[in-house]
Amino acid sequence: MATTFPDGFLWGTATAAHQVEGGNWNNDWWAWEHAEDTPCEEPSGDACDQWWRYPEDLDTLAGLGFGAYRFSLEWSRIEPEYGEFSTAALDHYRRIIEACRDREVLPVVTFHHFTTPRWVAAEGGWANPVTADRFAAFCERCVGHFGDEIGMACTINEPNIVSLMGWLMGVFPPGASMDLDAWAAANDTLRAGHRKAYDAIKEGPGDFPVGLTLSMGDWAAEPGSEHLIEPFRAGHEDQYLEAARGDDFVGVQSYSRTRVGPSGAVGPEEGVEVLPMGYEFWPQAAEAAIRHAVDVAHTPVYVTENGIGTDDDDQRVRYVQGALEGVARTIDEGLDVRGYFYWSLLDNFEWIYGYRMRFGLVGVDRATQVRTVKPSAAWLGEVVRNNGIA
Ligand code: GCO
């Protein structure tokens, strides 16, 4: 049975500054990658050299038929020291936005995607309440410089991952493990930062939808642990979905499923395909996450990230087809889902995994930076052009 999407459904791909630009040395992640006990498999280095190569990459995504490109600003390039702004960096991001417009691609700008300037991190980063105001001031400066050309804005990418990985799991900067007080403080500041950034961006030039993006997924419990899902989901997702009520949209970002047992999260279910990332092949995640986001936030939804890290491109097609069929079901039932962004346009720096995980529709030769469009990109381009799966 054919899967079709409404007229005007927005199709895009996504990247993030630190994962693709290269040479992003003035932030907490660059320091983290070079720390003596870093969990990172390798440093980000030149990444995909997209600081210079963005025109070529925009030609590729526009040529595939995508109508939107989600990318992020690097705060540490724009504000390298407290209160010191780089007009050259602001102009650079304006040029990317204009390059999107020149190709009739909607520029979807993420203002914070995991990386934080060294000077902010040095004062506690998101665990320090003052960071919410500093982030809002940064947003105000950016939107004043190029807000007139922005198509959509995402304030903070996956704040729930920033706090979880940074202050509970210890694998993102600052590398704290099970520091529940700091985790709670970071969540408070991240939610406040989103609210202040939302207002700052809305008050600037331009008229475009603004929202946060959130890491979500499907959930399941081992027999007898069903009662544990709600508190887990409340802490990881709902506190942000509630904070997003009244926003123009929530960006749902889902990949797989979390399984809960008597002592917390458990691994993949016996017999379910497991991906190189260590989690289940679970295309149903997008549908489950959309339903929950609408239930709690009561806002329109864009799927601002969905994809699969794999070297098996056929598996990528299987995953995306399954995910899109689920997205279509939610729309057919009347849920307000307005777009889908595949993560990612390029194979890129996958945080602690380095370049080993390949989420891209386009491969990147690490030695030469030469791009290679994968068959899955042609497949998804066809879906975009047909606005559906035949
Ligand atoms: C995230 C980030 C991306 C990841 C992607 C694949 O959701 O963790 O937004 O930076 O690269 O999700 O893991």
Side-chain angles (χ1 to χ4, degrees), residues 19 113-114 157-158 253 255 277 305 343 350-351 359:
Q19 295 178 269
H113 195 126
F114 288 178
N157 176 76
E158 300 192 353
Q253 307 195 161
Y255 292 86
M277 286 289 283
E305 278 185 30
W343 180 275
E350 182 51 35
W351 309 109
F359 283 83

Side-chain angles (χ1 to χ4, degrees), residues 87-358:
T87 303
L90 286 162
D91 285 348
H92 174 86
Y93 287 109
R94 185 175 179 93
R95 285 193 293 271
I96 297 178
I97 291 167
E98 290 173 342
C100 287
R101 293 292 190 184
D102 292 347
R103 295 163 174 82
E104 295 181 1
V105 169
L106 192 77
V108 179
V109 181
T110 302
F111 282 63
H112 184 281
H113 195 126
F114 288 178
T115 55
T116 299
R118 289 177 191 252
W119 62 269
V120 176
E123 296 193 27
W126 290 106
N128 182 344
V130 76
T131 299
D133 297 303
R134 289 175 170 170
F135 179 58
F138 158 72
C139 292
E140 182 182 354
R141 188 64 178 260
C142 292
V143 75
H145 204 87
F146 41 65
D148 57 310
E149 291 287 354
I150 288 179
M152 277 174 64
C154 306
T155 55
I156 301 174
N157 176 76
E158 300 192 353
N160 54 343
I161 291 295
V162 174
S163 59
L164 172 71
M165 298 298 184
W167 283 276
L168 292 187
M169 308 294 282
V171 291
F172 279 23
S177 294
M178 294 314 291
D179 187 339
L180 285 164
D181 292 341
W183 172 75
N187 284 319
D188 292 346
T189 308
L190 283 156
R191 289 197 311 274
H194 164 63
R195 284 267 55 89
K196 291 170 185 278
Y198 183 97
D199 293 343
I201 293 167
K202 279 290 191 188
E203 282 156 21
D207 180 14
F208 46 85
V210 183
L212 62 72
T213 76
L214 201 61
S215 172
M216 299 184 68
D218 198 359
W219 293 73
E222 291 189 320
S225 299
E226 292 79 1
H227 64 289
L228 292 177
I229 289 184
E230 196 279 330
F232 262 78
R233 211 170 193 179
H236 188 57
E237 298 177 355
D238 296 359
Q239 63 170 311
Y240 286 99
L241 291 171
E242 289 159 9
R245 286 174 180 162
D247 290 359
D248 296 324
F249 69 89
V250 163
V252 168
Q253 307 195 161
S254 56
Y255 292 86
S256 188
R257 174 173 72 156
T258 299
R259 297 176 65 241
V260 177
S263 49
V266 296
E269 182 179 356
E270 191 67 34
V272 176
E273 278 178 273
V274 179
L275 296 172
M277 286 289 283
Y279 49 66
E280 294 170 318
F281 175 93
W282 200 257
Q284 306 91 312
E287 177 177 2
I290 289 168
R291 293 184 186 283
H292 191 67
V294 170
D295 280 351
V296 178
H298 316 304
T299 64
V301 162
Y302 289 85
V303 176
T304 44
E305 278 185 30
N306 177 250
I308 179 175
T310 181
D311 291 333
D312 178 346
D313 208 42
D314 291 336
Q315 188 183 44
R316 190 183 326 276
V317 170
R318 251 186 322 122
Y319 177 87
V320 175
Q321 175 152 348
L324 289 176
E325 286 165 355
V327 174
R329 277 193 292 273
T330 66
I331 296 171
D332 292 347
E333 290 174 24
L335 274 61
D336 187 357
V337 183
R338 301 182 177 183
Y340 175 91
F341 289 72
Y342 177 81
W343 180 275
S344 176
L345 171 64
L346 302 173
D347 288 344
N348 63 52
F349 180 69
E350 182 51 35
W351 309 109
I352 62 169
Y353 298 104
Y355 293 95
R356 183 160 62 90
M357 304 299 173
R358 296 181 183 84

